[in-house]
Amino acid sequence: MRSSLDMKESIHEANSQLQQKVDALQKQMEELQGENQGLVRRLAGQEDALHYSSRHLEQRSADCHALNRELEAALADVRQQVSKVKDNAVSRESSFQTKILELEGEKSRRENELKQIKQSNQLPEKKFEVRLKDLQLSLNQSDSHKQSIQNYVDFLKNSYSTMFDEGLPPATSSFGSSYFLK
């Protein structure tokens, strides 16, 4: 009996362990189902995003093709305009070459005239330069003379001040005779 009781107890214990394993597996299965549902929701969201991106890409592709057609049309127009501009440039270059030759002839003629005028003006210019140098020399001499007079006046003032104003306080204003001499 004891062995059957032991057996019963060991079966009960084995059942209990099995039940715990079943409960653990069931809990794990519920967790996995929850994760699966989350993954299904994420996958659905990604599919929606992919579908939206696909539509957006198709729209962008259509816009790109339209812009490409516009660009090709604009490029053809630009090529045509460049061709016209080149033709006009060739025509203008020819007329400019003619104009340049005319202007070079005019320039040569005017340079000759200018050379003649300069030759006729050199003598009065030299006289003017000599007179200007004389006046500059005279001005420099006048400035030198003025400075020496000013130095003499300053000397006289200092002498006067030393001789007659030794006991008097110095004047606060410089508005004396030096103002009028300057």
Side-chain angles (χ1 to χ4, degrees):
M1 245 221 326
R2 194 174 183 142
S3 84
S4 80
L5 198 58
D6 284 339
M7 196 180 230
K8 194 175 185 184
E9 208 173 291
S10 88
I11 290 174
H12 183 62
E13 191 175 314
N15 267 347
S16 175
Q17 287 176 357
L18 281 174
Q19 187 61 42
Q20 287 177 355
K21 283 183 183 179
V22 166
D23 289 342
L25 286 173
Q26 193 168 10
K27 183 177 179 184
Q28 191 177 10
M29 190 173 82
E30 287 173 0
E31 287 174 0
L32 287 174
Q33 282 179 344
E35 286 179 19
N36 268 349
Q37 288 176 349
L39 289 173
V40 166
R41 283 192 297 274
R42 269 185 41 200
L43 185 60
Q46 287 177 353
E47 283 179 357
D48 287 344
L50 182 62
H51 183 64
Y52 173 76
S53 293
S54 177
R55 283 190 314 221
H56 188 67
L57 181 62
E58 288 173 4
Q59 180 62 39
R60 289 287 223 180
S61 180
D63 291 346
C64 186
H65 287 303
L67 286 174
N68 195 24
R69 285 190 299 273
E70 287 178 22
L71 181 63
E72 286 177 7
L75 191 57
D77 186 43
V78 166
R79 283 183 185 134
Q80 186 179 9
Q81 289 178 6
V82 165
S83 177
K84 285 181 183 178
V85 167
K86 281 182 182 179
D87 292 343
N88 287 342
V90 168
S91 173
R92 282 184 180 178
E93 184 178 355
S94 175
S95 69
F96 283 151
Q97 289 297 332
T98 305
K99 188 72 173 173
I100 286 172
L101 292 174
E102 290 174 4
L103 289 174
E104 284 176 350
E106 180 72 17
K107 176 185 170 196
S108 176
R109 186 180 61 79
R110 289 192 181 196
E111 283 176 348
N112 287 335
E113 286 178 8
L114 182 63
K115 190 184 291 184
Q116 290 173 358
I117 291 171
K118 279 184 179 179
Q119 287 173 354
S120 67
N121 285 340
Q122 276 181 340
L123 184 62
E125 226 175 80
K126 286 182 181 178
K127 285 181 181 179
F128 175 76
E129 286 176 10
V130 169
R131 179 67 182 141
L132 184 64
K133 286 181 183 176
D134 287 346
L135 287 174
Q136 184 68 37
L137 181 63
S138 174
L139 180 64
N140 288 342
Q141 288 173 351
S142 174
D143 284 345
S144 175
H145 184 68
K146 177 186 167 190
Q147 184 61 42
S148 68
I149 290 174
Q150 182 65 44
N151 289 341
Y152 181 68
V153 168
D154 288 345
F155 168 76
L156 288 177
K157 276 195 223 172
N158 286 336
S159 297
Y160 177 80
S161 174
T162 303
M163 291 174 67
F164 298 109
D165 292 342
E166 286 179 334
L168 296 176
T172 56
S173 171
S174 64
F175 187 72
S177 62
S178 65
Y179 174 78
F180 294 108
L181 289 175
K182 288 185 180 178

